[in-house]
């Protein structure tokens, strides 16, 4: 079976199918489960019946709910250690231990998942309005506490519009999973289900490693989930950009305004509307931000040297498309093996090492990305004022120095998003 | 972090045949590398600064006496990316070397399968890796690509550039 069948879609958690953008209010509860595995399993057995699957007809009317568990959470629920050891080693090590790979700040100051802060369970609630969200979160918190868990303060996702905090359209370029998502948009290449969901062949045509409990495949129809709590310094980004723009405009205020917007777009690789610089090099063009056009481009043909979208621009580093080096086909094959499915600002479904960690380490935080020198990603590269940003231009490039840290990691964790049947199996106990 | 280091130690399969095969394969790679890999790439991989295999006698008191194969490499970027390049571009050569060692994913005809079995190959590599306690790099901030670009920029400068090539040269700065 290379794609999920109808039964599998009832088994797969809905977050893999949709980011629930029609439920813009999102809240996240992070819990450390209590010492009594039976009580924790009692909680799981109740909450698992509320979990939203990928199929439409099994969804509740008033909201969406997903449950993810970390390896420590599985242990607290009584899953044997030798089963947990079959999970991805990065998940077992935990995000805080992967600091060197992720170019993260020391975990001591993290608000989530730092030393001694065990994140066992993550309950994700999505609703259409803030009141329903508050009610649902309170009910879920009560159920956790009643089972002996300690729960962090509510983490609320700001109601999702189409823009992230810096003011740019976000989440525009998502992998299309054959057999799970209904149909690809233009410019979206399908990736095999096995790149995101366990139990199906990946891009190498092989089944990814999975934890097996007795004769039950705990991994099948599940996915790994990365949660990051990121602080964005909005004023800091725009101040830095405006300072450079003023300097370059040499006293022309209208030019300074234009350059402020242009330089910020160069950092991102898209204009605020989402129109890609490779298609719209000089000014924002909303028509190119439409879903059927915004991903219809590669870099090799018209923008090989980055004169439109710089090599170091955030979207070009996070998804080099056809321009990772080598031929266009080679590049797209490799890029297709390293995908994350963004579920909301801060949360993504992905293979941990081949997906999230690969993109962060090899493309974003790598100061030598594709021939660049000492130049990590301007947003997520962790340069801390040491890096610069090169904008290729004719006849000679413009180099902006002292890129400030505008995104800071405040914590997070690696979780597993089990299938509905795996949640039932875990709740049934050893 | 621009460069990383990999140190890997694994037992050679017992018997003289395996040791001889390994020696022959390494000798062949050594010759090929001296001829072909002098322009900033090794077997199609552009991220390798240095790679070295050494056969060492196992001094541990085990019977029968055997050898171990040590692999050192200084490379650009991430482990995951480096191993991915191994699989995509150099699987035959690497399989020819490591199929003579213990625990390597199943191989056919010396060079087939083996390193192409992605997850098993990475798992096997991880199991035999040692933490690198110290390594030295003369240019820790530079990738192989950076060095090639720098050499090219300098060479063109001393050659005296015609106007139409000046554009390309300026673009590399």
């Amino acid at each position: 079976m290379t794609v999920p069948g109808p039964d599998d879609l009832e088994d797969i958690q809905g977050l893999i199918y949709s980011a629930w953008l029609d439920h813009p209010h999102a809240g996240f509860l992070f819990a450390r489960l209590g010492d009594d595995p039976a009580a924790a399993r009692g909680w799981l057995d109740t909450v698992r019946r509320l979990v939203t699957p990928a199929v439409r007809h099994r969804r509740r009317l008033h909201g969406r709910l997903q449950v993810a568990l970390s390896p420590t959470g599985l242990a607290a629920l009584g899953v044997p250690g030798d089963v947990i050891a079959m999970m991805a080693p990065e998940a077992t090590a935990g995000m805080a231990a992967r600091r060197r790979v992720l170019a993260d700040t020391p975990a001591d100051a993290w608000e989530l998942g730092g030393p001694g802060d065990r994140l066992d369970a993550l309950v994700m609630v999505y609703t259409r309005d803030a009141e329903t969200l508050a009610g649902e979160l309170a009910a879920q918190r009560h159920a956790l506490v009643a089972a002996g868990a300690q729960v962090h303060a509510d983490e609320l996702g700001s109601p999702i519009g189409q823009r992230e905090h810096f003011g740019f359209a976000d989440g525009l370029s998502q992998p299309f999973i054959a057999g799970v998502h209904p149909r690809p948009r233009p410019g979206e290449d399908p990736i095999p289900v096995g790149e995101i969901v366990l139990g199906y062949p990946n891009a190498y045509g092989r089944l990814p490693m999975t934890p097996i409990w007795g004769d039950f495949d705990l991994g099948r129809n599940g996915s790994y989930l990365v949660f990051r709590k990121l602080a964005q310094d909005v004023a800091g980004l725009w101040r830095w950009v405006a300072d450079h723009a003023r300097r370059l405009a040499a006293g022309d205020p209208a030019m300074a305004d234009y350059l402020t917007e242009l330089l910020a777009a160069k950092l991102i690789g898209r204009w605020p509307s989402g129109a890609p610089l490779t298609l719209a090099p000089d000014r924002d063009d909303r028509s190119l931000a439409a879903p059927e056009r915004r991903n219809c481009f590669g870099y090799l043909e018209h923008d090989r040297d980055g004169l439109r979208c710089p090599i170091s621009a955030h979207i070009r580093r996070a998804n080099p498309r056809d321009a990772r080096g080598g031929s266009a086909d080679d590049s797209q094959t490799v890029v297709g093996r390293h995908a994350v499915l963004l579920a909301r600002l801060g949360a993504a479904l992905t293979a941990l090492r081949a997906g999230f960690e690969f993109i962060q380490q090899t493309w974003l935080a790598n100061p030598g990305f594709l021939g660049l020198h000492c130049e990590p990603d301007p947003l997520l590269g962790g340069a801390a004022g040491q890096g610069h940003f090169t904008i290729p231009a004719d006849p000679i490039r413009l180099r902006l120095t002292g890129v400030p840290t505008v995104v800071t990691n405040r914590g997070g964790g690696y979780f597993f998003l089990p299938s509905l049947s795996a949640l039932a199996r875990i709740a049934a106990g050893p | 972090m621009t460069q990383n280091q990999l140190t890997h130690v694994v037992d050679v399969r017992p018997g003289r045949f395996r040791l001889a095969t390994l020696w022959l394969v390494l000798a062949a790679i050594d010759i090929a590398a001296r001829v072909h890999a002098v322009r900033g790439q090794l077997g199609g991989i552009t991220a390798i600064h240095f790679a070295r295999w050494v056969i060492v006698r196992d001094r541990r008191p085990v019977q029968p006496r055997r050898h171990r194969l040590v692999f050192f490499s200084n490379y650009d970027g991430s482990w995951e990316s480096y191993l991915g390049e191994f699989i995509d571009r150099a699987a035959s050569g690497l399989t020819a070397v490591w199929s003579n060692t213990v625990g390597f994913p199943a191989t056919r005809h010396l060079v087939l399968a083996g390193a192409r079995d992605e997850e098993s190959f990475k798992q096997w590599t991880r199991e035999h890796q040692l933490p690198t306690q110290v390594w030295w790099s003369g240019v820790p901030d530079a990738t192989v690509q950076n060095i090639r670009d720098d050499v090219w920029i300098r060479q063109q400068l001393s050659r005296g550039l015609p106007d139409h090539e000046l554009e390309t040269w300026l673009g590399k700065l």
Side-chain angles (χ1 to χ4, degrees):
Chain A
M1 187 81 90
T2 56
V3 297
D7 293 351
D8 295 311
L9 292 179
E10 296 202 5
D11 195 31
I12 292 173
Q13 289 206 41
L15 199 58
I16 294 171
Y17 171 85
S18 167
W20 305 135
L21 297 185
D22 54 343
H23 290 69
H25 294 265
F28 306 95
L29 294 176
F30 290 88
R32 177 189 188 127
L33 298 174
D35 294 331
D36 177 8
R41 284 197 292 269
W43 158 77
L44 185 64
D45 200 42
T46 309
V47 75
R48 73 176 177 86
R49 295 163 207 273
L50 304 174
V51 169
T52 311
V55 282
R56 203 171 288 269
H57 67 273
R58 297 268 302 271
R59 294 180 199 155
R60 295 184 303 156
L61 282 177
H62 58 285
R64 307 280 178 253
L65 187 142
Q66 320 287 169
V67 174
L69 301 165
S70 70
T72 55
L74 293 172
L77 286 154
V79 177
D82 56 340
V83 178
I84 297 171
M86 288 185 258
M87 304 188 74
E90 305 73 39
T92 328
M95 185 182 281
R98 304 291 288 171
R99 192 187 144 213
R100 187 168 175 276
V101 164
L102 299 173
D104 269 341
T105 49
D108 307 344
W110 283 10
E111 295 162 18
L112 272 178
D117 180 19
R118 216 176 72 195
L119 306 178
D120 289 340
L122 164 59
V123 178
M124 295 166 271
V125 180
Y126 303 83
T127 65
R128 292 188 203 276
D129 61 76
E131 274 171 32
T132 316
L133 181 68
E136 283 280 315
L137 286 176
Q140 293 306 325
R141 171 181 296 276
H142 182 76
L144 277 162
V145 171
Q150 297 167 30
V151 189
H152 273 268
D154 295 355
E155 292 288 348
L156 298 179
S158 46
I160 203 161
Q162 291 296 312
R163 306 258 167 123
E164 50 72 61
H165 299 300
F166 290 132
F168 289 81
D170 194 25
L172 300 185
S173 179
Q174 291 267 44
F176 169 79
I177 308 179
V180 175
H181 295 144
R183 73 193 76 79
R185 292 218 172 97
E188 285 183 345
D189 290 320
I191 62 166
V193 195
E195 288 294 307
I196 303 284
V197 187
L198 298 190
Y200 303 90
N202 62 16
Y204 287 102
R206 296 189 163 267
L207 295 176
M209 281 190 278
T210 181
I212 310 264
W213 190 0
D215 53 6
F216 187 87
D217 184 346
L218 215 51
R220 185 179 160 77
N221 287 336
S223 178
Y224 287 98
L225 183 145
V226 175
F227 196 98
R228 303 273 277 177
K229 184 176 183 182
L230 301 173
Q232 291 179 251
D233 181 1
V234 177
L237 175 85
W238 287 103
R239 197 185 316 119
W240 180 74
V241 169
D243 284 349
H244 277 288
R246 258 197 307 277
R247 180 174 58 79
L248 294 165
D252 177 348
M255 186 51 130
D257 286 350
Y258 169 72
L259 284 177
T260 301
E261 199 183 354
L262 178 67
L263 292 181
K266 291 277 187 185
L267 292 181
I268 307 289
R270 291 184 188 269
W271 296 93
S273 74
L277 258 68
T278 297
L279 300 181
D282 300 322
R283 57 190 54 80
D284 204 348
D285 178 350
R286 284 180 169 277
S287 69
L288 292 169
E292 57 279 1
R293 300 187 68 181
R294 64 195 182 201
N295 280 310
C296 292
F297 67 97
Y299 296 113
L300 278 192
E301 195 180 348
H302 298 299
D303 202 9
R304 189 176 55 103
D305 299 324
L307 289 168
R308 296 172 169 199
C309 176
I311 311 286
S312 198
H314 178 66
I315 69 158
R316 192 159 176 167
R317 301 183 72 122
N319 178 6
R321 294 171 188 259
D322 56 350
R324 181 201 150 265
S327 76
D329 283 350
D330 277 0
S331 175
Q332 273 156 341
T333 305
V334 172
V335 170
R337 273 184 216 142
H338 307 291
V340 301
L341 182 64
L342 293 176
R344 191 60 59 104
L345 292 180
L349 300 166
T350 169
L352 296 178
R353 200 179 64 240
F356 170 68
E357 291 193 347
F358 182 96
I359 293 173
Q360 180 67 25
Q361 186 183 18
T362 314
W363 293 338
L364 295 176
N366 178 5
F369 174 75
L370 292 186
L372 298 173
H373 184 244
C374 296
E375 189 162 338
D377 185 80
L379 301 183
L380 297 178
Q386 302 298 307
H388 50 249
F389 183 77
T390 304
I391 301 174
D394 188 20
I396 189 148
R397 87 284 184 285
L398 173 67
R399 186 161 283 168
L400 306 183
T401 53
V403 180
T405 299
V406 292
V407 178
T408 312
N409 185 21
R410 294 268 178 84
Y414 288 157
F415 295 87
F416 188 66
L417 190 76
S419 66
L420 271 64
S421 58
L423 288 173
R425 173 67 191 89
I426 298 162
Chain B
M1 182 66 67
T2 304
Q3 291 179 31
N4 279 297
Q5 215 277 351
L6 176 74
T7 305
H8 182 272
V9 182
V10 61
D11 289 339
V12 177
R13 291 195 182 181
R16 284 191 186 158
F17 172 73
R18 286 297 186 177
L19 188 61
T21 311
L22 179 60
W23 189 89
L24 270 175
V25 170
L26 289 180
I29 289 177
D30 189 42
I31 293 166
R34 281 163 205 265
V35 178
H36 294 294
V38 290
R39 291 278 179 272
Q41 57 163 295
L42 187 59
I45 305 178
T46 52
I48 305 177
H49 290 263
F50 298 100
R52 183 176 172 85
W53 279 285
V54 184
I55 302 173
V56 294
R57 201 184 286 276
D58 190 342
R59 290 177 188 277
R60 292 172 301 178
V62 286
Q63 286 300 333
R65 303 295 291 175
R66 60 185 175 190
H67 290 74
R68 294 203 275 182
L69 180 64
V70 184
F71 177 65
F72 307 95
S73 179
N74 296 15
Y75 61 93
D76 293 326
S78 66
W79 184 95
E80 190 70 24
S81 161
Y82 186 38
L83 275 276
E85 298 268 283
F86 271 6
I87 296 162
D88 288 340
R89 296 174 197 262
S92 306
L94 297 175
T95 301
V97 174
W98 276 317
S99 60
N100 300 298
T101 63
V102 173
F104 191 71
T107 303
R108 285 180 290 120
H109 308 299
L110 186 65
V111 294
L112 298 176
R116 286 176 193 81
D117 182 352
E118 181 240 0
E119 216 165 13
S120 309
F121 175 59
K122 288 178 182 168
Q123 180 80 26
W124 173 83
T125 306
R126 205 178 301 115
E127 281 167 8
H128 295 281
Q129 243 178 277
L130 296 179
T132 303
Q133 283 160 325
V134 61
W135 93 92
W136 187 85
S137 171
V139 281
D141 290 334
T143 62
V144 175
Q145 181 69 42
N146 291 152
I147 296 168
R148 291 174 71 186
D149 287 346
D150 292 350
V151 168
W152 186 85
I153 288 168
R154 189 173 185 282
Q155 277 174 349
Q156 302 306 306
L157 199 60
S158 57
R159 174 169 90 86
L161 282 172
D163 280 358
H164 64 278
E165 286 181 27
L166 201 59
E167 224 170 90
T168 322
W169 188 84
L170 285 171
K172 285 267 187 195
L173 288 184

